[in-house]
Amino acid sequence: MAEQQQDHPDPQPAIVKFLEHSSLHAQADDHSTAEDAITLSTIHTAKGLEWAAVFVPGLEDGILPHQRSVEMDIARGEDHSVEEERRLLYVGQLASEAQFALI
């Protein structure tokens, strides 16, 4: 059996496996209350969590809101996608107890 596995390498690259595992592992599962810890999170997983300081990088045209969201809204004549990204940014702001910075 082991020989067969070596003869037929796993078609799924290690990075795909890592990303699948990461997406299933919620940041809230590891939320630490240590005062001297830095937590890296997405604004998607920040809902309901709080930190003393929150820094949101990547606020550039085409990044947040993402260019694809803008293009989808223009094509549909709506603003739902961009509005959702604004809501997510607000979630990030609510996660801040004292300091909030847009970078």
Side-chain angles (χ1 to χ4, degrees):
M1 180 77 109
E3 290 177 21
Q4 288 179 340
Q5 289 177 350
Q6 290 177 354
D7 291 341
H8 302 287
D10 190 353
Q12 197 172 35
I15 189 70
V16 173
K17 290 180 181 179
F18 170 76
L19 291 173
E20 286 176 352
H21 172 74
S22 298
S23 66
L24 295 175
H25 184 77
Q27 181 69 28
D29 295 340
D30 289 337
H31 185 58
S32 172
T33 57
E35 292 182 22
D36 62 347
I38 294 175
T39 303
L40 181 63
S41 175
T42 66
I43 55 178
H44 293 87
T45 59
K47 187 175 181 181
L49 301 176
E50 290 185 341
W51 294 280
V54 172
F55 300 91
V56 180
L59 291 177
E60 300 174 16
D61 191 26
I63 304 280
L64 189 64
H66 194 275
Q67 185 64 32
R68 188 176 308 142
S69 295
V70 174
E71 290 170 358
M72 284 176 31
D73 283 353
I74 290 171
R76 294 178 183 162
E78 303 172 344
D79 65 350
H80 297 298
S81 299
V82 171
E83 202 52 45
E84 174 66 13
E85 294 202 26
R86 285 188 192 124
R87 186 192 68 75
L88 285 170
L89 185 57
Y90 183 66
V91 166
Q93 183 179 1
L94 290 177
S96 172
E97 295 175 340
Q99 185 179 12
F100 180 71
L102 302 175
I103 303 172

